[in-house]
């Protein structure tokens, strides 16, 4: 008989709930969309999240009741946005709306937190900015002093839903705590947080690895939902949950998501220390590290200029590779990963056809991806063995071919790479499989693998060197300018 696991993902624009079986098959799902407004980018109502999540849970369980033995549902876990925090009062009620990761108001506090961390705790996480949980806590204490005096606990978006499910709001996980200032290397909250910032020790949660059982579903909820008092398992941030859903959970495994932006995440045995702050490391529940970085380049240029004839362009691109052309399709000004260049601007080849420009743009993103992995290998001293991929960019076969040959590595296109699926796998890891590695091995699947071809790999090696030379000449990448032989 199958066992089943529930994953909840609370995103900026809605809630998604899925039910997976122990092989990773999706048995059912339900979602609810939130309208995205200028205000909802800054603050959202945790009560609305919970109402929506509960409604989705009810809908999902009603839909699958006829086909699934609900007694075989074993556990539930949650993922949500990294850096979104909520101040709770004495009775675990929000004293204020959730302060969203995308809220830019704490920019000054972000700078102050970063400088304080660099000075007093340089061995811990120091990459604080406006989107970090810690910056938002400091901002709130500075702007709402009366309300801050009534705070019992600061929690993260994931923790609010977990608390509503099992009644315990006092625990968070390593991935959510990182950007709130927790030192994932030593496993403690550094003293500078309460000695040099306006925070109190009693506000800070206990921190456990993702996949740890926190409690069981409250009796009233289990009755209303018609399921057992299943285990409630510590979750993780949405980026880490998507990485888990891709199957990239063992040392040497890496996941590239090409959506609006290029996001690279993987697993190393040692923590990556990047003096430039391009890469930061989460803690893997099995003691490894989960480093990652996110750039501004991605696939947004596709919808901005090529969406109307995508099928024809992809067909043409298959006959044009390698183009030998150099493009860097950055839409906004400035890059943050794999190199930091606030002055960086995108460029495309002059006098090229639409088909050639489209193909060269795909090649350009693949070159940035390769440079990212070279930076990571240099910083970590560890090999990138396998690249698992997801996001809009992975839906183009010709783009997958370009990337496999530019990287000179097999590229695996993954199946169900959503935050909600990742949360369900974490639930299974904590209640059924014992480890995240075993759960991911059993519950993730590869849709297709593209292998590099020697002739294409060789041609792309030359083109890549010219790309790096061009970016160095423009001052995007630090010199010296490489000489092409």
């Amino acid at each position: 008989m199958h066992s089943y696991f529930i994953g909840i993902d609370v995103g900026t624009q809605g809630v998604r709930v899925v039910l997976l079986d122990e092989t990773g098959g999706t048995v059912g799902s339900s979602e609810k969309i939130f309208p995205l407004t200028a205000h909802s980018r800054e603050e959202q109502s945790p009560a609305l999240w919970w109402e929506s999540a509960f409604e989705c849970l009810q809908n999902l369980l009603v839909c699958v009741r006829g086909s699934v033995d609900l007694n075989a549902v074993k556990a539930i876990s949650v993922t949500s946005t990294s850096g979104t925090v909520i101040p709770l009062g004495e009775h675990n009620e929000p004293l204020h709306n959730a302060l969203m990761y995308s809220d830019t108001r704490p920019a000054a506090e972000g700078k102050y937190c970063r400088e304080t961390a660099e000075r007093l705790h340089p061995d811990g996480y120091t990459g604080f900015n406006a989107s970090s949980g810690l910056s938002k806590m400091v901002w709130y204490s500075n702007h709402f002093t009366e309300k801050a005096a009534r705070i019992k606990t600061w929690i993260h978006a994931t923790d609010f839903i977990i608390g509503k499910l099992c009644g315990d709001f006092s625990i968070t996980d390593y991935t959510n705590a990182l950007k709130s200032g927790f030192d994932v290397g030593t496993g403690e909250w550094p003293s500078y947080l309460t000695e040099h910032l306006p925070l109190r020790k009693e506000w800070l949660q206990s921190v456990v690895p993702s996949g740890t059982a926190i409690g069981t579903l409250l009796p009233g909820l289990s009755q209303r939902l018609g399921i057992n008092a299943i285990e409630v398992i510590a979750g993780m941030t949405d980026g880490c949950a998507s990485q888990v859903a891709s199957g990239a959970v063992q040392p040497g495994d890496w996941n590239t998501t090409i959506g609006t932006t290029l996001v690279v995440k993987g697993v190393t045995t040692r923590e990556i220390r990047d003096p430039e702050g391009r890469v930061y490391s989460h803690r893997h529940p099995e003691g490894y590290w989960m480093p990652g970085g996110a750039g501004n380049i991605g696939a947004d240029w596709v919808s901005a200029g090529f969406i109307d004839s995508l099928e024809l362009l992809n067909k043409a691109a298959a006959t044009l590779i390698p183009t030998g052309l150099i493009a860097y399709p950055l839409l906004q000004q400035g890059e943050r990963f794999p190199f930091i260049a606030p002055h960086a601007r995108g460029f495309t080849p002059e006098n090229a056809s639409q088909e050639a420009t489209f193909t060269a743009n795909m090649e350009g993103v693949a070159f940035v991806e390769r440079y990212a992995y070279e930076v990571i290998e240099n910083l970590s001293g560890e090999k990138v063995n396998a690249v698992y991929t997801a996001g809009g960019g992975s839906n183009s076969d010709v783009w997958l071919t370009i990337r496999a040959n530019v990287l000179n590595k097999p590229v695996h296109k993954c199946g169900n790479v959503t935050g909600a699926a990742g949360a369900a796998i974490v639930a299974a890891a904590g209640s059924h499989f014992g480890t995240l590695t075993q759960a991911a091995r059993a519950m993730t699947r590869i849709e297709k693998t593209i292998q590099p071809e020697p002739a294409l790999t060789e041609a792309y090696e030359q083109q890549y060197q010219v790309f790096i030379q061009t970016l160095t000449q423009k001052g995007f990448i630090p010199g010296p300018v490489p000489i092409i032989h």
Side-chain angles (χ1 to χ4, degrees):
M1 188 178 81
H2 276 311
S3 295
Y4 301 95
F5 309 94
I6 300 172
I8 300 177
D9 180 15
V10 179
T12 316
Q13 298 184 63
V15 170
R16 186 154 194 264
V17 180
V18 298
L19 183 69
L20 302 191
D21 66 24
E22 66 204 28
T23 69
T26 304
V27 181
S29 67
S30 175
E31 57 189 300
K32 189 147 194 211
I33 305 298
F34 309 141
L36 189 62
T37 64
H39 178 68
S40 74
R41 288 179 193 277
E42 290 184 346
E43 297 186 7
Q44 288 189 15
S45 160
L48 172 67
W49 294 346
W50 172 242
E51 282 162 29
S52 305
F54 188 74
E55 193 183 311
C56 288
L57 269 172
Q58 279 184 311
N59 291 346
L60 168 67
L61 293 168
V62 165
C63 288
V64 302
R65 188 163 267 120
S67 54
V68 165
D69 176 6
L70 293 185
N71 292 323
V73 178
K74 296 280 190 247
I76 186 167
S77 190
V78 184
T79 182
S80 190
T81 52
S82 166
T84 298
V85 291
I86 309 157
L88 292 188
E90 194 185 343
H91 303 294
N92 295 320
E93 80 290 349
L95 295 172
H96 195 96
N97 276 339
L99 302 171
M100 299 298 290
Y101 71 97
S102 45
D103 177 2
T104 56
R105 290 174 296 177
E109 285 79 4
K111 188 169 179 287
Y112 181 68
C113 289
R114 186 176 68 249
E115 287 166 356
T116 307
E118 284 170 350
R119 189 163 47 89
L120 299 170
H121 199 70
D123 289 343
Y125 178 75
T126 59
F128 300 108
N129 55 31
S131 70
S132 309
L134 181 64
S135 316
K136 296 178 192 308
M137 295 179 202
V138 172
W139 177 85
Y140 188 80
S141 295
N142 289 343
H143 287 79
F144 296 89
T145 41
E146 259 175 59
K147 275 189 179 178
R150 292 172 25 223
I151 293 173
K152 175 188 168 192
T153 322
W154 272 106
I155 67 166
H156 308 88
T158 302
D159 312 326
F160 183 74
I161 303 299
I162 282 180
K164 287 300 231 180
L165 291 167
C166 70
D168 191 341
F169 294 85
S170 70
I171 296 174
T172 191
D173 67 275
Y174 278 48
T175 68
N176 273 293
L178 178 76
K179 292 183 184 176
S180 294
F182 184 75
D183 187 327
V184 293
T186 61
E188 52 197 26
W189 295 100
S191 58
Y192 82 87
L193 297 176
T194 49
E195 289 169 10
H196 295 268
L197 300 177
L199 301 187
R200 296 185 194 165
K201 261 191 189 135
E202 61 269 23
W203 290 352
L204 305 171
Q205 295 166 288
S206 304
V207 188
V208 298
S210 300
T212 305
I214 291 180
T216 52
L217 194 61
L218 291 166
L221 290 179
S222 112
Q223 208 172 350
R224 285 171 70 193
L225 292 169
I227 55 174
N228 295 332
I230 60 175
E231 286 190 275
V232 178
I233 305 291
M236 52 173 49
T237 59
D238 51 2
C240 291
S242 297
Q243 177 184 337
V244 166
S246 79
V249 296
Q250 295 177 84
D253 289 353
W254 286 82
N255 166 234
T256 303
T257 301
I258 302 180
T260 307
T261 60
L262 174 84
V263 180
V264 165
K265 288 179 176 289
V267 184
T268 53
T269 58
R270 290 184 300 279
E271 183 181 8
I272 288 186
R273 290 242 177 255
D274 181 9
E276 290 182 43
R278 297 158 297 181
V279 180
Y280 62 88
S281 295
H282 280 294
R283 198 74 202 255
H284 190 291
E286 286 156 55
Y288 305 127
W289 294 87
M290 295 167 74
N296 292 334
I297 199 161
D300 53 354
W301 57 270
V302 177
S303 44
F306 299 92
I307 203 77
D308 295 339
S309 44
L310 212 46
E311 207 174 315
L312 290 171
L313 288 167
N314 262 303
K315 210 170 270 184
T319 67
L320 293 173
I321 59 171
T323 63
L325 300 170
I326 302 301
Y328 174 56
L330 182 72
L331 285 194
Q332 61 190 92
Q333 184 178 331
E335 188 50 276
R336 59 199 165 117
F337 172 83
F339 48 88
I340 294 172
H343 59 290
R345 285 185 179 279
F347 58 86
T348 51
E350 285 176 29
N351 308 321
S353 67
Q354 191 192 26
E355 292 83 357
T357 303
F358 175 77
T359 312
N361 281 355
M362 289 195 288
E363 291 172 335
V365 177
F367 294 146
V368 175
E369 182 183 9
R370 171 165 163 183
Y371 185 73
Y373 284 128
E374 287 178 356
V375 165
I376 280 158
E377 287 187 333
N378 283 336
L379 286 169
S380 68
E382 298 181 28
K383 288 294 290 172
V384 172
N385 298 328
V387 175
Y388 296 77
T389 193
S394 67
N395 294 327
S396 160
D397 281 356
V398 68
W399 206 351
L400 290 173
T401 301
I402 291 167
R403 291 168 58 203
N405 286 286
V406 168
L407 296 171
N408 196 13
K409 293 181 198 310
V411 171
H412 307 295
K413 187 188 176 196
C414 317
N416 188 9
V417 189
T418 64
I425 293 167
V426 170
S431 62
H432 184 75
F433 287 100
T435 68
L436 191 59
T437 299
Q438 286 172 304
R441 194 176 288 147
M443 296 176 72
T444 60
R445 54 176 61 93
I446 291 167
E447 276 184 15
K448 62 173 81 160
T449 296
I450 312 290
Q451 297 287 351
E453 305 158 33
L456 258 182
T457 300
E458 203 175 312
Y460 273 130
E461 183 59 42
Q462 282 292 103
Q463 199 176 327
Y464 174 68
Q465 297 306 333
V466 177
F467 177 82
I468 293 299
Q469 186 182 50
T470 308
L471 262 52
T472 310
Q473 281 167 340
K474 288 178 179 289
F476 301 172
I477 292 175
V481 176
I483 295 154
I484 310 294
H485 297 292

